[in-house]
Amino acid sequence: MPTVSSAEKALLGRYSPRGNANFRTQFMGEDRHKVARTGEASGPAPIAYLVEQAPHTELRAHFHVADQFQIFVTGSGRIGAHKAGVGFGHFVGPYSGYGPIVGGDEGVGYLTLRNAWDGGAQFLPEEVQQMRAKAGKRRELMFNAPPAQALPAGESTFASLLQEQADGLAAWTCSLGPDATVTGPDPAVGGGQFWIVMDGKLADGEQGLLQRLSLAFVAPDEPAYTPKAGPQGLQLLVLQFPRFVAAAAA
């Protein structure tokens, strides 16, 4: 069954790794600031956390060794040369440099989502030789999620934000009216799916009504997810990773 994380519960663990004005909240998986880990990931496993950058702070250009989505959920800023407000989505492949991420006047918050362990940012230009030695074709894609759409009770819509690619990479937006349900795409096509509550509430059978930024992760070997909206409706963002390749997460 899907792994589900309540934003309300996760945010109780919000902290500043360096004791400054930048904050981190772990939603799923191990926090690299608290867990020492080496070796390759053996299969898709969810890593999800919220980063809150203070106004005008900068996270320097860098790369990671795992596939990664980032979804901007509060404030505004920029990533590289691109403006990033609420609903801006960014995908980057392993050993693909990107950034910097810069907070605007109100700061910026974004969910970082991976389907495999990653040991942290490899900063550029210091690690450029490592990046060049391991990198294949650089992969970076962007999209914007639309505002919440109000629908009548029981109705739903599903729309593509990032057209499904040959290796399964894709993104969709899903709107549900009050108490509506929908069946998602087949998880076996890709390397795992994150479902993010962007507006409204998700009616979870075990945890009740889950608020904005709550998450569900569906592994490739699980059945298609069938979320249900709460009494005020629900807006979801659905992110599907490329099929998992263990060597990319080394």
Side-chain angles (χ1 to χ4, degrees), residues 192-203:
Q193 299 170 353
F194 273 104
W195 293 66
I196 307 171
V197 177
M198 298 297 287
D199 196 71
K201 291 187 178 180
L202 171 67

Side-chain angles (χ1 to χ4, degrees), residues 16-197:
S16 175
R18 294 178 175 82
N20 55 22
N22 297 324
F23 289 87
R24 177 184 175 116
T25 302
Q26 196 77 21
F27 278 65
M28 288 187 189
E30 296 169 322
D31 183 343
R32 68 175 183 82
H33 291 278
K34 299 179 179 180
V35 176
R37 179 175 168 180
T38 59
E40 294 186 7
S42 59
I47 301 290
Y49 56 91
L50 173 67
V51 174
E52 296 170 88
Q53 275 185 230
H56 310 297
T57 56
E58 177 178 315
L59 177 60
R60 294 167 49 209
H62 61 281
F63 66 90
H64 292 275
V65 302
D67 287 316
Q68 174 185 279
F69 280 100
Q70 287 175 312
I71 305 299
F72 288 71
V73 295
T74 61
S76 64
R78 65 177 174 86
I79 182 166
H82 303 277
K83 292 182 179 179
V86 174
F88 180 83
H90 177 258
F91 173 84
V92 67
Y95 298 98
S96 295
Y98 72 98
I101 302 177
V102 181
D105 291 343
E106 299 178 359
V108 66
Y110 46 92
L111 286 167
T112 296
L113 309 158
R114 304 189 185 106
N115 67 341
W117 172 260
D118 180 272
Q122 304 295 309
F123 288 104
L124 299 170
E126 293 92 328
E127 299 297 334
V128 68
Q129 294 304 321
Q130 179 192 170
M131 183 179 73
R132 289 174 176 171
K134 296 287 187 72
K137 183 178 180 181
R138 183 175 182 275
R139 195 175 196 187
E140 183 180 24
L141 298 164
M142 285 159 274
F143 54 90
N144 279 288
Q149 178 185 5
L151 293 176
E155 293 191 10
S156 64
T157 63
F158 218 93
S160 175
L161 297 176
L162 186 61
Q163 185 174 359
E164 188 174 307
Q165 304 196 10
D167 60 1
L169 175 65
W172 300 270
T173 182
C174 178
S175 299
L176 295 90
D179 303 313
T181 60
V182 69
T183 299
D186 182 2
V189 173
Q193 299 170 353
F194 273 104
W195 293 66
I196 307 171
V197 177

Side-chain angles (χ1 to χ4, degrees), residues 1-3 44 115 158 164 167-170 172 183-195 216-227 238-244:
M1 61 185 299
T3 301
N115 67 341
F158 218 93
E164 188 174 307
D167 60 1
L169 175 65
W172 300 270
T183 299
D186 182 2
V189 173
Q193 299 170 353
F194 273 104
W195 293 66
F217 180 80
V218 186
D221 59 354
E222 293 179 321
Y225 188 42
T226 54
V238 187
L239 309 174
Q240 181 168 279
F241 286 88
R243 286 184 289 278
F244 184 81

